[in-house]
């Protein structure tokens, strides 16, 4: 849908203009802008607060912004509960499961699986969390491993605050192409959405600060040089580890989006696993820490290396 900004809305925020003209919620419009569904005068724009001049042409995906997703519990969604109490859950998500409904994924998400076991989570489906009750952070569809889930509004706020303060421990195992020059290091490079392909992220001066710490665990030479790396997130941007490793010429093995898929070592998904999760309990203040074993499919990949 093409919107020509009228005089009455000149100078207003992008998300406000689109919400009024399309009839969608501001939260839904902001999500669409963030995910690359809106362009301004032919150029992708990802800043919801941008002020727009009269006569500007806004091109937006109306279907994405007004679509209705019914949150109904689904017993078929696979996941393992590692820890639970009245305030918080820790779950181990398998690969190929999307965390919450979004573009192209309306059913069989982790949220719908959680709602089957914990139907009271629907009470948290309000505002900008209408499609992600309890979800305070995400991992990609192709990534396996640990996630914390809030069971109350108070726990949601507390866990989000910890993530914002960078006090949550999130460690991943990744298999990356090539040999690393140092045993450990830090990648400090801002990440934003790609102008060329809105489904991808990229290192960009206009992006948000993103920091990944890494440490080499094991190196292999056959069938090609690859390195098992432990990555720890200081920030949590979309595709952060995949983008950062690709930026230093060591893309994640099996990652077709960022140049890591090769026929010499077929994997079927990015070799990336959220192995360790540590945080402060939102109510008791107790320090909690959990680990997840490498899944069978990724263990099989390591077994083929030498």
């Amino acid at each position: 849908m093409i919107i020509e900004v009228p005089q009455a809305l000149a100078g207003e925020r992008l998300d406000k203009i689109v919400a009024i003209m399309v009839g969608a919620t501001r939260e839904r419009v902001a999500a669409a802008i963030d995910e690359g569904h809106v362009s301004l005068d032919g150029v992708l724009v990802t800043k919801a607060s941008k002020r727009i001049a009269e006569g500007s042409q806004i091109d937006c995906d109306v279907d994405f912004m007004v679509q209705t997703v019914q949150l109904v519990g689904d017993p078929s969604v696979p996941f393992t509960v590692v820890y639970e109490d009245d305030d918080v859950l820790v779950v181990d998500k398998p690969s190929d499961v999307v965390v919450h409904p979004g573009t192209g994924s309306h059913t069989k998400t982790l949220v719908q699986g959680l709602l089957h076991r914990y139907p009271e989570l629907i009470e948290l489906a309000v505002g900008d969390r209408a499609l992600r009750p309890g979800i305070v952070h995400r991992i990609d569809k192709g990534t396996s491993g640990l996630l914390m889930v809030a069971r109350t509004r108070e726990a949601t706020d507390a866990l989000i605050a910890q993530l914002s303060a960078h006090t949550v421990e999130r460690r991943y195992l990744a298999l990356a192409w090539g040999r690393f020059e140092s045993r450990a290091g830090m990648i400090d490079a801002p990440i934003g959405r790609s102008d060329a392909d809105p489904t991808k992220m990229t290192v960009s001066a206009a992006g948000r600060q993103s920091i990944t710490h890494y440490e080499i665990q094991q190196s292999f030479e056959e069938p090609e040089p690859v390195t098992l790396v432990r990555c720890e997130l200081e920030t949590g941007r979309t595709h952060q580890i995949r983008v950062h490793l690709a930026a230093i010429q060591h893309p994640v093995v099996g990652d077709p989006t960022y140049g890591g898929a090769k026929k010499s070592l077929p994997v079927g998904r990015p070799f990336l696993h959220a192995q360790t999760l540590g945080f402060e309990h939102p109510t008791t203040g107790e320090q909690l820490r959990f680990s997840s074993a490498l899944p069978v499919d990724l263990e099989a990949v390591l077994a083929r290396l030498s």
Side-chain angles (χ1 to χ4, degrees):
M1 176 181 179
I2 303 295
I3 299 170
E4 183 170 330
V5 179
Q7 182 181 15
L9 294 176
E12 294 287 358
R13 289 169 52 114
L14 175 62
D15 56 351
K16 180 178 180 179
I17 293 171
V18 175
I20 291 172
M21 299 298 287
V22 170
T25 66
R26 287 276 287 275
E27 292 83 6
R28 189 66 174 160
V29 171
I33 293 169
D34 183 63
E35 295 187 26
H37 294 274
V38 177
S39 61
L40 177 65
D41 295 327
V43 179
L44 183 73
V45 59
T46 56
K47 187 176 180 181
S49 61
K50 183 178 179 64
R51 301 287 175 172
I52 312 300
E54 178 186 356
S56 298
Q57 301 280 326
I58 302 172
D59 188 356
C60 53
D61 184 346
V62 176
D63 289 340
F64 176 81
M65 286 181 274
V66 301
Q67 70 186 7
T68 301
V69 176
Q70 191 171 8
L71 289 183
V72 178
D74 185 346
S76 71
V77 179
F79 66 93
T80 300
V81 177
V82 176
Y83 172 85
E84 71 172 289
D85 61 30
D86 292 339
D87 301 291
V88 67
L89 305 168
V90 175
V91 301
D92 200 336
K93 182 190 83 70
S95 64
D96 290 330
V97 173
V98 175
V99 172
H100 62 75
T103 306
S105 300
H106 302 159
T107 61
K108 297 192 177 300
T109 69
L110 178 63
V111 160
Q112 281 134 337
L114 287 165
L115 284 171
H116 171 70
R117 300 196 199 182
Y118 308 96
E120 70 280 2
L121 287 176
I122 196 65
E123 296 178 6
L124 303 180
V126 295
D128 63 349
R129 302 194 169 273
L131 297 181
R132 45 189 176 129
I135 302 301
V136 295
H137 67 127
R138 296 175 291 182
I139 56 179
D140 300 332
K141 175 183 178 181
T143 302
S144 52
L146 298 173
L147 280 168
M148 55 185 179
V149 178
R151 298 187 71 180
T152 67
R153 288 186 174 86
E154 294 76 14
T156 299
D157 294 341
L159 294 177
I160 289 175
Q162 290 183 48
L163 288 162
S164 297
H166 305 157
T167 59
V168 177
E169 179 186 5
R170 288 173 290 171
R171 294 187 177 185
Y172 292 67
L173 275 182
L175 189 66
W177 289 104
R179 305 180 185 92
F180 284 66
E181 294 182 359
S182 57
R183 296 293 302 174
M186 178 182 74
I187 306 169
D188 184 351
I191 292 176
R193 197 165 295 278
S194 168
D195 290 337
D197 183 350
T199 66
K200 296 174 64 175
M201 308 301 288
T202 187
V203 169
S204 166
R208 301 170 67 187
Q209 183 184 36
S210 307
I211 299 174
T212 303
H213 301 270
Y214 69 86
E215 183 178 354
I216 305 309
Q217 303 298 294
Q218 194 171 1
S219 299
F220 304 91
E221 295 298 323
E222 298 293 340
E224 286 190 49
V226 292
T227 305
L228 187 65
V229 190
R230 185 178 69 196
C231 296
E232 183 165 1
L233 295 179
E234 185 170 324
T235 57
R237 310 304 176 208
T238 301
H239 301 175
Q240 179 172 315
I241 292 173
R242 297 160 63 192
V243 171
H244 271 172
L245 289 180
I248 62 171
Q249 309 305 311
H250 296 294
V252 174
V253 171
D255 185 355
T257 304
Y258 298 105
K262 296 184 181 181
K263 293 182 179 179
S264 59
L265 188 56
V267 179
R269 57 123 161 170
F271 193 118
L272 188 60
H273 179 66
Q275 182 186 45
T276 304
L277 177 63
F279 58 95
E280 181 181 291
H281 191 279
T283 300
T284 67
E286 178 187 0
Q287 289 295 324
L288 304 176
R289 193 170 189 269
F290 306 92
S291 295
S292 169
L294 203 62
V296 173
D297 64 327
L298 300 187
E299 284 283 10
V301 173
L302 291 183
R304 301 204 303 267
L305 306 176
S306 61

